[in-house]
Amino acid sequence: MYFTDDRIDELRAKVKGRLSEKRFVHTLGVEDMAVKIGQLCLPDSIDELRVAALLHDISKEYSEAEQFEIAERHNISFTEADLVAPPIWHSITGPLVIADEFPSFASERVLSAVRNHTGGDPDMSVFDEIIFLADYIEDGRAYIMCEQVRNQFFELAAAAQSRDDYIQALHRATLSSLENTIKWFVLRGRSYHERTEHTRKAIMAKIER
Ligand SMILES: [Fe+2]
Ligand SMILES: [Fe+2]
């Protein structure tokens, strides 16, 4: 689906009215980064990447009770694994909110990228992966681990000679971000969503050695 610049500007203004200042600044960072990665890996989809980035955290600031209510209203039940991971709930409710409140932006690719942006998915598309990585390495993320992955991606991209090389850079950086996330949970003795581990294995299999 193609979105004009005017419609994207309108969407950006609407999203600004829905999010806290901090979350909106992060969202703009994800939009910028999705464009940068997209220009290398998926240059014909920049407009749709912008839309997915702008909407990716649309329900992140809803309370747990509100998220439950939205899921219930759509007959979606959280799995056991979902229940112990409240930070991923907004990737379940986000697509529902987008379909209800932003139907003209609810393309299959936008909904899929929002659904997969937190825990990942073993079947993530390149489009999904761009939003996933952009969320982790947007310029506002100052953690050392995020900076390292950002540098890794752009260093690999600088040496790339083909679209396939750019996509390999995307896979490698995404794998690093998943490994960091898993390490973070393990170091704290906390459990993490099983999907993150399945995604890590699937991305590893896509990397050419
Ligand atoms: Fe998120
Ligand atoms: Fe985010």
Side-chain angles (χ1 to χ4, degrees):
M1 200 183 277
Y2 178 72
F3 302 99
T4 62
D5 286 350
D6 284 356
R7 291 195 57 216
I8 294 172
D9 289 346
E10 258 171 52
L11 175 65
R12 198 180 296 106
K14 261 194 204 164
V15 168
K16 184 174 199 271
R18 297 272 301 249
L19 300 178
S20 67
E21 173 72 17
K22 181 177 164 240
R23 183 82 43 208
F24 184 63
V25 169
H26 160 68
T27 293
L28 293 182
V30 177
E31 184 189 5
D32 278 351
M33 188 55 73
V35 170
K36 282 185 195 156
I37 305 171
Q39 279 162 346
L40 305 173
C41 296
L42 210 59
D44 62 350
S45 304
I46 301 301
D47 58 307
E48 207 166 1
L49 285 167
R50 281 188 189 276
V51 169
L54 286 168
L55 289 168
H56 86 283
D57 272 345
I58 195 70
S59 64
K60 174 121 182 178
E61 291 172 335
Y62 291 10
S63 69
E64 291 184 2
E66 279 171 309
Q67 309 230 30
F68 255 102
E69 196 267 319
I70 292 167
E72 215 162 60
R73 194 156 21 97
H74 291 82
N75 293 317
I76 304 278
S77 44
F78 290 174
T79 65
E80 294 267 305
D82 295 335
L83 283 172
V84 297
I88 82 142
W89 294 358
H90 72 287
S91 58
I92 299 169
T93 54
L96 306 174
V97 170
I98 294 166
D100 283 350
E101 298 179 42
F102 300 87
S104 62
F105 292 99
S107 73
E108 271 311 308
R109 292 208 293 180
V110 167
L111 295 178
S112 167
V114 175
R115 191 175 305 119
N116 295 328
H117 88 271
T118 318
D121 187 275
D123 296 321
M124 266 201 296
S125 64
V126 167
F127 188 99
D128 293 340
E129 215 175 309
I130 292 171
I131 297 299
F132 184 93
L133 183 65
D135 189 28
Y136 193 80
I137 66 169
E138 62 101 352
D139 287 324
R141 298 253 198 227
Y143 310 111
I144 181 79
M145 281 170 147
C146 300
E147 252 166 45
Q148 282 169 348
V149 177
R150 192 185 307 137
N151 292 339
Q152 180 194 16
F153 175 76
F154 286 106
E155 278 164 24
L156 289 169
Q161 298 186 343
S162 65
R163 180 68 33 80
D164 283 350
D165 291 349
Y166 287 130
I167 290 173
Q168 282 293 308
L170 173 68
H171 293 330
R172 283 171 191 271
T174 301
L175 178 64
S176 298
S177 76
L178 287 160
E179 287 172 347
N180 287 347
T181 300
I182 291 171
K183 244 183 261 164
W184 191 95
F185 282 102
V186 169
L187 280 173
R188 284 161 186 77
R190 285 168 57 180
S191 61
Y192 51 92
H193 204 291
E194 58 193 3
R195 199 181 308 121
T196 308
E197 175 57 17
H198 297 153
T199 306
R200 186 189 68 82
K201 286 197 182 130
I203 299 282
M204 197 132 95
K206 291 180 185 172
I207 291 176
E208 292 160 10
R209 306 208 173 255

